[in-house]
Amino acid sequence: VHHIVCKSIPIHYLQSLSREKQKMAGLKMICSRAAALISIAAVPCGAASDAAFVYRSPAGPVCQPTKRCSGRPLHSTTTSSYLDTLSVVKNTAPAFLEPETILRPLLSPTVRRKKKRALLSELSSLRRSRSADPSSYDKYVDALLDEIYSLGTMSAPPGLLTRASLPFPFAVPSYRICLELLRSTLDLTMPRADGGEDLSDARRQNLAVNLSQCTKYRGGIHSVYREARKRARSAPTMADMIGRTPEGLETPSYDVVYEGGEYELRRYAAYAVVSTVKPEDGTTAKGFQLLAGYIFGGNESNNKMAMTTPVFMKNLSGTAPGDATASAGGREMSFVLPSAYWSEGEVGGSPEPSPGADLARNFVAPELRAVVWFQGLTTPGTVREQEERLLRLVRSDDGLKMKEGASVVQASYNDPFTAPWKRRNELMIEVERVEK
């Protein structure tokens, strides 16, 4: 007891607490460490497993199980104990890591966030190398998803471990419970499939985003799951969305003409954008990289500009921005230029795009727009659903009508790795008043 408490809790922190709080802090730490050892040593009845129990000093290995109840190896022969896996992050390329080797420390509530970030940076490097080998990252993330959803082969029913872990005053560092919590989080944050659409890329993105959140919360996946479950219970208001707008970034200014419970009517002031058009078979990532390169100095004058928000996207065929099946005319993605170029005469003064870059700088005149908002990841299905809601609300207002030739525009305010429950997404369309 003395060893666990003194080695795990800073002495200056204990001295600042009252005697009762000292006892509680020590008890929680002891229970947490004991649960870590028990979760490895315990094998459910009826499972084929071999375990060689070894007792050494408290810092040494307590047991060396060779199999988990699912039948797969728990540790390699070079791993001495579960506690060692909590304190050591291997600098191996993620492409050669077993899924459990990377998921166990990332999800754990006891691994320090600094070590999680170091491990996650290796996974990010694999994602950035997709231009050279597009399939390697997708295959590795698919292997992680297979590991997460392999809980169906375990002895405990899905959902039971999640419900059992929540009442405890501490995060139980069991790998099985962590996997169950991650799976529940993915199910909460993953948009519903619309018909036969392929959501493979959205599932990979959802997993990457939630794993990155584990580096930001002290309790690992336990805290991430609690936050996701809390936010999923209520629909966000416009006041919530304003709070999710990134600070320090310029955004087009507007005045709210009408504020309702489901939509807003805004009068936008003039601004300027730089845009690129991607054909049907083009990906959103390529357009984003092209525009980001222009903003960050990839132009003729090598002029670096400040990042702005939101990113606008619309289908030139007049369909919903996320409807890839109906985008015969291609999709236009736009970044807002800094406010120094927002007047019609100053748009031409913005840096010239590099030769060969498919970019255009445009002035956007003042407009009256109807706007709806929603949170979470955006997929073709969710965008179509929100577009139907927007058009229904506009048609139900006798004082408004859609402007002829107007297209639905999607506005995304946050970076791709923002948590789904912290995202500000909007759909808008230009409208005009109807004289009665």
Side-chain angles (χ1 to χ4, degrees):
V1 171
H2 178 270
H3 175 86
I4 292 177
V5 174
C6 293
K7 295 294 184 181
S8 306
I9 304 178
I11 188 65
H12 62 83
Y13 173 72
L14 284 175
Q15 291 175 346
S16 65
L17 301 177
S18 64
R19 183 174 296 276
E20 292 301 322
K21 289 185 177 180
Q22 287 182 26
K23 292 180 180 178
M24 182 58 67
L27 179 60
K28 287 183 178 181
M29 181 57 64
I30 293 169
C31 293
S32 179
R33 290 301 177 90
L37 302 179
I38 293 171
S39 65
I40 297 304
V43 178
C45 296
S49 177
D50 301 325
F53 294 91
V54 180
Y55 177 79
R56 296 181 187 174
S57 65
V62 176
C63 66
Q64 293 180 330
T66 57
K67 291 185 179 180
R68 196 165 63 234
C69 67
S70 61
R72 297 190 302 275
L74 177 63
H75 295 304
S76 65
T77 55
T78 58
T79 306
S80 60
S81 71
Y82 172 72
L83 295 181
D84 291 337
T85 64
L86 296 182
S87 59
V88 177
V89 176
K90 301 176 178 61
N91 295 320
T92 312
F96 305 102
L97 283 179
E98 290 293 328
E100 181 180 340
T101 310
I102 191 172
L103 288 175
R104 184 183 287 273
L106 279 177
L107 303 179
S108 173
T110 56
V111 176
R112 292 188 177 182
R113 285 176 287 174
K114 181 178 180 180
K115 294 181 179 180
K116 291 184 181 182
R117 286 191 288 267
L119 188 60
L120 192 65
S121 66
E122 299 291 342
L123 185 59
S124 300
S125 65
L126 181 64
R127 178 180 57 85
R128 289 190 294 268
S129 66
R130 280 184 295 180
S131 57
D133 186 7
S135 63
S136 60
Y137 174 78
D138 292 347
K139 289 180 179 178
Y140 186 72
V141 177
D142 288 342
L144 296 179
L145 288 169
D146 290 341
E147 173 75 5
I148 296 164
Y149 283 91
S150 66
L151 282 175
T153 63
M154 295 184 179
S155 57
L160 177 61
L161 297 178
T162 303
R163 294 191 296 270
S165 66
L166 292 179
F168 287 91
F170 54 85
V172 179
S174 164
Y175 180 56
R176 299 177 196 175
I177 290 179
C178 288
L179 282 183
E180 171 70 17
L181 290 171
L182 177 58
R183 187 174 74 168
S184 300
T185 304
L186 295 178
D187 292 341
L188 282 172
T189 55
M190 185 64 201
R192 297 187 304 272
D194 183 10
E197 64 177 304
D198 184 12
L199 295 180
S200 300
D201 290 338
R203 290 191 181 94
R204 297 184 189 109
Q205 175 69 8
N206 192 29
L207 174 60
V209 170
N210 281 287
L211 288 179
S212 68
Q213 296 304 306
C214 292
T215 66
K216 302 175 182 179
Y217 287 83
R218 187 178 298 274
I221 189 60
H222 294 72
S223 299
V224 174
Y225 171 73
R226 283 186 172 93
E227 186 68 15
R229 191 179 64 163
K230 175 183 175 182
R231 298 296 185 95
R233 292 175 176 173
S234 59
T237 64
M238 194 61 230
D240 297 329
M241 289 296 174
I242 296 298
R244 300 176 186 185
T245 307
E247 297 181 357
L249 302 184
E250 285 188 315
T251 185
S253 58
Y254 61 84
D255 295 323
V256 178
V257 178
Y258 169 77
E259 183 177 357
E262 292 189 79
Y263 78 104
E264 276 189 348
L265 199 60
R266 301 175 184 171
R267 190 175 302 280
Y268 273 84
Y271 61 94
V273 297
V274 56
S275 307
T276 184
V277 177
K278 303 304 296 180
E280 282 186 86
D281 56 352
T283 62
T284 303
K286 292 181 180 179
F288 188 92
Q289 292 170 2
L290 184 62
L291 291 169
Y294 170 81
I295 292 292
F296 296 136
N299 47 65
E300 278 198 344
S301 58
N302 296 325
N303 183 11
K304 293 184 179 181
M305 293 172 279
M307 191 63 183
T308 57
T309 190
V311 176
F312 292 111
M313 191 186 310
K314 68 177 180 179
N315 283 343
L316 298 182
S317 59
T319 56
D323 192 352
T325 61
S327 55
R331 270 182 280 182
E332 182 183 78
M333 178 181 286
S334 304
F335 278 19
V336 179
L337 289 172
S339 57
Y341 309 110
W342 283 4
S343 64
E344 189 172 7
E346 294 175 341
V347 177
S350 58
E352 287 284 342
S354 300
D358 185 16
L359 295 174
R361 295 160 296 164
N362 302 309
F363 172 76
V364 181
E367 294 179 354
L368 182 66
R369 300 177 184 175
V371 183
V372 295
W373 58 89
F374 59 101
Q375 65 181 3
L377 301 178
T378 56
T379 64
T382 58
V383 174
R384 279 194 296 270
E385 181 182 344
Q386 296 299 326
E387 184 201 19
E388 292 173 0
R389 182 166 72 98
L390 170 63
L391 298 182
R392 184 183 71 252
L393 291 170
V394 172
R395 293 187 182 111
S396 64
D397 192 331
D398 296 336
L400 293 176
K401 71 174 182 178
M402 289 176 286
K403 192 168 184 178
E404 185 177 356
S407 299
V408 176
V409 179
Q410 176 184 339
S412 302
Y413 284 80
N414 309 98
D415 69 81
F417 282 90
T418 300
W421 56 86
K422 293 182 179 180
R423 296 193 179 197
R424 178 184 178 184
N425 304 314
E426 294 177 347
L427 286 186
M428 55 187 68
I429 191 169
E430 187 178 2
V431 296
E432 54 187 5
R433 296 281 192 180
V434 175
E435 296 293 339
K436 296 184 179 179

